Each structure stands twice: as C-alpha cells, then as structure tokens.
Amino acid sequence: MESSVTIPPVPKDRPPLPGAGSNKGAVEGSGTWALSDRIGLAICWGLGLLFCALAIAIVVYLFIQGIKFLRPSMLVTPAAGGFTQTETGGFSDAFIGTLMVAAMGIAIALPVGVATAVWLVEYGRPAALARITESTIEAIAGIPSIVLALFGTVIFSSTALAFLSRSTEGVVFGRSFFAAAAMLSLVALPLIVASTREGLNAIPRHVREASYAVGKTKAATTRRILLPTAKPQIATGAMLGLGRIIGDTAIILVLLGATQNFTPVEGAPFPFNFLRGAGTTLTNFVYEASPTGNLNQPEKAYAAAFVLLLMVLILNAAVDIVHRRARKVGTWSS
Amino acid sequence: VEEELTPEYGPKWSDKRVELMLGALVCGLVGLLLAMIVTVFVRAWPSFAHNGLAWFGPGGNVDDQLNEIFLSGQAGAEYIYTFHAWPLIWSTILITGGAVLISLFCALFVAVFIVEFAPEWMSNILQPVVRFLASVPSVIYGLLGVLILVPLIGNHLVSEPQKASVAGIISLTGYSLLAAVLVLTMMIAPLMVSIFTDGLRSVKPGWLEGSLALGVNRWRTTWKIGVRSARPAIVAGTVLAVARAIGEAVMLAMISGSVGFAPNPADGLIFIYEPSRPLAPTIVKNIDQLTSKPGNATLFSIAAVLLFSAAFFSLTGYVARRSMRKYGSA
C-alpha cells in the first residue's frame, strides 16, 4: 500500500483541503482528521516504535552481554562444582542437550504432525472424528507445558516404560531424554499440524483430480504430489516447532532432571545410556544460573542465553527464507 | 513392469490401509489427550476430595500449608491435605488480567497500525519484530526481568517509606506484581498482534471502501468497520493469550517473588510492588515434592485447575475463530 500517512504536525507543503494528496493513487493523509484521530495515530506510531525498540534492546543487550561473557571454551567444557564463576566450567552438556532434545522431539512430532494433517485434509471421515481431532489439536496447543510435564512424570515412571529411563530397585526414575523429548514433541505438534494443513489446503482440487485421473491412488498422490508441494509449509511448521522445543523450560525442568551434567545409565549400549539418563539443556541452565536458581552465576546465564537467542534468531531467519522462496516459486494458478 | 517401477503403490499401501493407519494415529492422539485429562484429575482427586470447595478459598498461610503437606508426606504418618489456594489464584488473576488488559490495548493499536496505517517499510520491519518477540524463549524474558527490571523496581521505584510501611508483613525487593505483569505483557502481546492482524486483513475490502466512499476518514473507518468486523479474531486472540498467560510457569517463577501472598489492592498503589506467586510457578518451585503422596496430589490438583482453565480458554478461542469463518473471511 502506498501510504502518505505522517505523524502530526502536518508538513507545510500539504494542501489543507479535504481529500488531501493531490497526486493520484495516494491515500488520504491524516491532515484533515480530528485531533482525537490524530492522537490515536500517534499512539499507533509510538507503540509500533516501542515494539521495535524492545526487540532491538533485547538483541543488542544480549549480544553485548554474550560477547562480554561467552568464551568458546564454555561450549566445550561441562559444568563443574565450584565457588566462583571461573571454577564452574561451561555449559557444553546443556548445549549438546538442547540439540539432542530438539532432534528427538522433532523426530517424533514431524511424522505424527504431518500424518495428522494429511488425515484431516485428505481423509477426514467420519466428520465427527475430524471435528474431535481438530479440537484435540487446539486443546494440546493450549495445555500449559508444566501440565504436560506432570503428565509425563506419570507415564514415564510407570514400570512398563522403565526401559526409557533409569530405575533403581523397581522404582522408575522417569526422567530421561526420551521422556522430555516425547512430551516436548506434543508442544511442537500443533504448530506442525496447522502449518501442514495450510499447505495442503492451498493446493487446488484439480491437481489431485489430475493425479487420480492417471490412475494414482490417494496414498500415492499424497506422497508423490501433495507432500512435496506442501514442503515449504511443512518446513516452516517444523522450524516453528523446533523453536518452541528449544525454548521450553518447564518440561525440561521436570522431565530431564535437576542436574547440570549428563548422567548416563550404566550398562546400556552407547547412545541409549545417554538417552535414558538425565541431562540438561540451555533453557534449564539459564534458569538455574539466574539469581533465582540454584547456581546463581548471572554471567554464565547471560552467555547461555546469548547462545539460545542466536539459535532462535537463526530459526527465525530460516523461516523467513523458506517463506520468501516459497512465494518466489509462486502458488498454484487455480 | 508397473509393479517394479512403483512398488509402494501396491496393495501394501492401498488407500484403505493408509486411511486406517492414519485414522488409528489420530485416534491415538485423541486418546492421549483423554488419558491426560483423566490422569491429572484422578491424581488430583485426594486433594479436592479433602478440601472440597475450600480448595479455592482463602484461609491460613498457603506456604505453611504446602510445607505441612510435604512434611506429612515424608513423615509417613497421617497425610495432611489441607490447602487453601486463594492467594495463588488471586495472584494468577491479577497477573494474567493485568498483562492481558495492557497487551489488548497495545496489540490492538499495533495490529491496526501494521494492517492499515504503517508505511510499507514500517510494516515490513514490524512484522518480523513481532514474530521475533513471540519466539524469544520465556526463560530469556525471565532472565532479563530478574537482572534488569527487578533491581530497577526494587532500587528506584519503591521508596524507603513504602518499604518500611509494610516491613512486618512482606518485604518489597522488586520481585513484584509490576515486574511480572510487564514481562508477561511483552510475552503475550506479540501473540495477540499476529492473530489480530490476521483478522483485520480478512475484513472484506468492500465494507471498508463503502465507509470511505461515504466520506468517513480512514482512522474512523478502520475502527468502526475494520476492528468491529474483526471482533471474533480479537476475542480469539485475547482468549488464547489468557490461556498462554495462565500456563506460564518458568518466567513467573523467576520474577513474581515466590511468596504465597495475596497482594491487596486496598493497600493503595503500593500493592503493585508486592510479591506473590501464581499457580503454575508453584508447581515449578515445589517439583521435588512430587514423590510424596500428598505433595503429588496437591501439585496435580493445581495442574488440574490449570488444565481446566487453559483448555476452557483455548476452546473458547477456537470457537470464536470458527465463527470468524462465517463472516466470509478469506
């Protein structure tokens, strides 16, 4: 939209007559408005600029603090006990833990989410089940993650699932990367479903009909034509979900354990000893290292928060790039 | 030949089977949600059964009650369940309500600005900014709150006489209602902005043009026609933001003050400096007590209240958004 809206005071060269903007195509300026309307517009500008200022302040402040306190060695040394901030090591375990949780969570959420969306858009029978599923996804999106976490403790400390975490003398610990990732996948699920549905709905009907007409089954059409076409939206959903997973703290706090190091389970083969054990992530580290946490090392908290923010910024940029590329390719001409 | 080229189109992946498999998965999801609701309420039952409606009422010091519950669980003698959660509920209402009111105001103006009045370069900046603010992890907001906002309030905004006036009851250190409300506002306002802008964009242009053609200026057209016909989106965004705010645990555990105290508006303006602790952070702070039986029941009873209210609000938002489709949006 070509807009010539300005904040009051009005520039002098503007004609003060109604229907301001002598050039064709220009939008009506605010020069002719009543004072109350102009005050409203000023509030709009003020709040808009405030939002920008807040975002810039957060990024700049964390960059400054991050560059001041982050040492490359922190990313490779695990946390250690100590009295001063120089003795306590870094947060390599937290960093790797975040990557592990993100990979595992999205590995569960992506197939389930895409399959749910495919069912909703392409099949969706009986209609009652489709409606129930839709509200289930909405409800999962609305459930506080702390409640999901508590539910996770019930599931994963049942003896049937003891092989997913540590157990001593029949009492199942219930805290492990498996447990945390499984519950975190529920946090990412609604975003993936919503985004994939949007992608599938955007494909016009005749594309499907053309595929059926050459004798392809519905399953083959979905796999060979619909899902590849909806790939940008699926990727967007996955990245949004990833952002939620790495940003979540409550589930990690409850289901991954109150420790700052990996605590592998002895006797299990290689990847599983870590995955069954407790651990930590960057969000958990920031929480514990903040003045209200148990470690109270604000400098390290800033450094870890900086790394976390970088991850979020990269994900945001990736979403933007995917969006832009998808738009460049163009949509279906229906 | 065809089978060789396309083995996955064979009977193994027939439509019927695929539909059944996907249907089973979907049923599994629905079942999981039902299982979650049932589990949480079953686990919470001892606490509700023991307290009845008094669970929601005031009475006694809630922190002492929690302590006794946890101690009785360790002692193993007779379990104590007495729990009157009013200070926690009141704190949740104050913090959520305050944050939602402020962000409703801000988000409405910003959304109108993005859709209608901002020059193109400005809305091109604002949209990524809003998306970024929505994606910052809550723990980072909490950290910034603890290290910047809380000391600012504690050292500069609250005066010494004010601190002295409530010295015997509560100490004002900056961990306060005000800090919690401000940071929570920053967290939920972007969410509201993005839903509001969707709603405003889908208003039929003809309605707006009709108003403009009658000589109504753009500002009034936007508010009288645009915002009014986007009402379902505004309700939906607000309600979803409420659900998000109620469930926010970690950030509030960091800056709300973590005292089971009900800030009293009758104290005058000073009550916004008073610390408190909403429901969700109470779970986070006492998560170690999950292993004791009465502690477990009490924490799950809090979770049940959160689950119920969050589900209620997000379903309301869902219904509101469905009714939006009826208005012929997009």
Side-chain angles (χ1 to χ4, degrees):
Chain A
M1 185 173 32
E2 293 277 312
S3 168
S4 64
V5 173
T6 48
I7 343 173
V10 189
K12 277 180 191 134
D13 55 86
R14 183 185 298 279
L17 292 168
S22 49
N23 45 337
K24 271 185 199 166
V27 184
E28 166 210 17
S30 60
T32 59
W33 295 3
L35 183 64
S36 60
D37 299 357
R38 286 204 244 166
I39 291 172
L41 187 60
I43 295 176
C44 275
W45 271 96
L47 285 171
L49 293 174
L50 179 70
F51 266 55
C52 296
L54 279 176
I56 293 169
I58 290 174
V59 173
V60 169
Y61 185 76
L62 279 179
F63 261 73
I64 292 172
Q65 300 292 341
I67 288 164
K68 204 159 38 168
F69 298 127
L70 182 66
R71 300 279 166 274
S73 63
M74 282 182 189
L75 290 176
V76 288
T77 42
F83 294 104
T84 62
Q85 299 208 24
T86 47
E87 287 175 24
T88 47
F91 43 80
S92 66
D93 286 357
F95 183 62
I96 299 167
T98 295
L99 299 181
M100 280 164 70
V101 155
M104 290 167 72
I106 214 71
I108 303 171
L110 193 58
V112 175
V114 170
T116 308
V118 165
W119 184 83
L120 277 172
V121 177
E122 301 301 321
Y123 297 91
R125 286 176 306 180
L129 182 61
R131 221 171 308 137
I132 292 173
T133 309
E134 263 182 60
S135 18
T136 301
I137 300 293
E138 286 299 317
I140 290 177
I143 292 175
S145 63
I146 185 72
V147 177
L148 285 176
L150 281 191
F151 177 58
T153 62
V154 178
I155 301 181
F156 289 99
S157 47
S158 67
T159 38
L161 292 175
F163 66 94
L164 290 180
S165 68
R166 177 199 307 275
S167 56
T168 40
E169 295 160 16
V171 179
V172 182
F173 189 49
R175 294 178 164 191
S176 69
F177 276 99
F178 280 123
M183 281 300 142
L184 283 170
S185 70
L186 285 181
V187 172
L189 187 71
L191 292 166
I192 296 176
V193 173
S195 186
T196 309
R197 279 183 75 184
E198 197 182 301
L200 291 175
N201 277 328
I203 304 171
R205 233 195 118 57
H206 63 69
V207 175
R208 296 180 177 85
E209 279 160 4
S211 175
Y212 301 151
V214 293
K216 301 291 177 202
T217 60
K218 212 169 191 177
T221 309
T222 306
R223 186 166 159 219
R224 289 280 187 230
I225 295 169
L226 301 184
L227 288 185
T229 311
K231 217 191 238 164
Q233 283 91 345
I234 297 175
T236 305
M239 282 185 290
L240 291 176
L242 213 52
R244 284 289 270 285
I245 290 180
I246 62 172
D248 196 283
T249 321
I251 291 178
I252 301 292
L253 218 57
V254 177
L255 284 176
L256 202 47
T259 161
Q260 288 308 325
N261 295 101
F262 288 126
T263 49
V265 176
E266 280 124 39
F270 163 62
F272 297 103
N273 56 352
F274 281 101
L275 298 184
R276 281 177 59 183
T280 182
T281 66
L282 284 174
T283 49
N284 189 14
F285 183 85
V286 173
Y287 177 73
E288 294 292 355
S290 79
T292 39
N294 296 326
L295 302 175
N296 194 4
Q297 316 165 338
E299 294 184 1
K300 294 240 170 74
Y302 272 132
F306 171 63
V307 176
L308 194 58
L309 189 79
L310 273 186
M311 288 174 150
V312 170
L313 280 175
I314 291 171
L315 274 177
N316 270 15
V319 170
D320 259 10
I321 290 169
V322 170
H323 252 278
R324 214 162 290 165
R325 195 171 291 170
R327 214 182 299 158
K328 209 181 277 173
V329 170
T331 44
W332 297 88
S333 52
S334 48
Chain B
V1 178
E2 201 181 43
E3 235 172 293
E4 256 182 61
L5 281 172
T6 56
E8 78 270 25
Y9 307 157
K12 199 176 158 201
W13 293 97
S14 74
D15 271 353
K16 212 166 213 175
R17 273 197 195 177
V18 170
E19 180 167 7
L20 275 179
M21 273 159 52
L22 293 179
L25 179 87
V26 165
C27 290
L29 272 182
V30 176
L32 187 70
L33 181 73
L34 291 180
M36 177 162 6
I37 294 168
V38 171
T39 312
V40 168
F41 278 90
V42 165
R43 291 268 172 154
W45 183 246
S47 183
F48 285 132
H50 189 277
N51 292 300
L53 278 179
W55 195 98
F56 300 93
N61 183 329
V62 73
D63 282 340
D64 292 347
Q65 286 164 1
L66 279 171
N67 261 334
E68 271 172 34
I69 290 169
F70 301 148
L71 283 177
S72 81
Q74 285 156 15
E78 199 162 315
Y79 293 150
I80 298 173
Y81 285 105
T82 311
F83 183 55
H84 302 300
W86 176 248
L88 312 178
I89 298 172
W90 177 235
S91 161
T92 309
I93 293 173
L94 280 179
I95 291 179
T96 305
V100 168
L101 281 182
I102 299 176
S103 44
L104 179 61
F105 175 82
C106 298
L108 205 49
F109 273 87
V110 172
V112 163
F113 187 53
I114 290 178
V115 173
E116 223 37 75
F117 296 102
E120 203 174 337
W121 59 269
M122 187 68 187
S123 63
N124 282 347
I125 296 173
L126 259 176
Q127 279 164 312
V129 158
V130 167
R131 223 176 315 135
F132 165 74
L133 285 176
S135 64
V136 173
S138 61
V139 74
I140 290 186
Y141 280 123
L143 182 74
L144 293 174
V146 160
L147 291 172
I148 300 172
L149 197 59
V150 166
L152 184 80
I153 293 173
N155 299 335
H156 300 289
L157 282 182
V158 194
S159 63
E160 288 304 323
Q162 280 176 326
K163 282 183 189 174
S165 71
V166 288
I169 310 159
I170 201 95
S171 60
L172 304 180
T173 50
Y175 291 99
S176 59
L177 214 54
L178 180 66
V181 167
L182 287 181
V183 179
L184 193 57
T185 304
M186 270 172 72
M187 287 181 59
I188 59 177
L191 179 79
M192 289 165 102
V193 171
S194 62
I195 298 176
F196 291 178
T197 41
D198 281 351
L200 285 171
R201 285 229 169 86
S202 60
V203 174
K204 281 184 182 156
W207 295 4
L208 298 173
E209 281 158 13
S211 166
L212 287 172
L214 289 171
V216 181
N217 73 27
R218 284 206 304 141
W219 178 260
R220 297 206 174 157
T221 299
T222 306
W223 286 89
K224 299 273 169 178
I225 311 291
V227 173
R228 279 198 191 183
S229 36
R231 237 173 341 194
I234 289 162
V235 173
T238 310
V239 157
L240 288 178
V242 172
R244 174 70 65 83
I246 288 175
E248 178 50 50
V250 168
M251 184 279 287
L252 290 178
M254 289 166 90
I255 62 176
S256 68
S258 269
V259 187
F261 177 77
N264 189 354
D267 293 352
L269 203 58
I270 199 176
F271 92 100
I272 61 170
Y273 300 130
E274 288 172 350
S276 64
R277 191 183 58 226
L279 288 167
T282 305
I283 303 180
V284 172
K285 286 280 175 184
N286 297 303
I287 200 67
D288 298 338
Q289 307 298 337
L290 216 53
T291 44
S292 83
K293 199 162 177 292
N296 191 299
T298 307
L299 293 186
F300 268 94
S301 67
I302 297 175
V305 172
L306 288 178
L307 180 62
F308 180 79
S309 39
F312 171 77
F313 280 113
S314 52
L315 282 181
T316 314
Y318 171 64
V319 172
R321 254 187 306 173
R322 275 182 78 93
S323 73
M324 196 158 72
R325 283 183 214 153
K326 258 186 260 164
Y327 282 80
S329 62

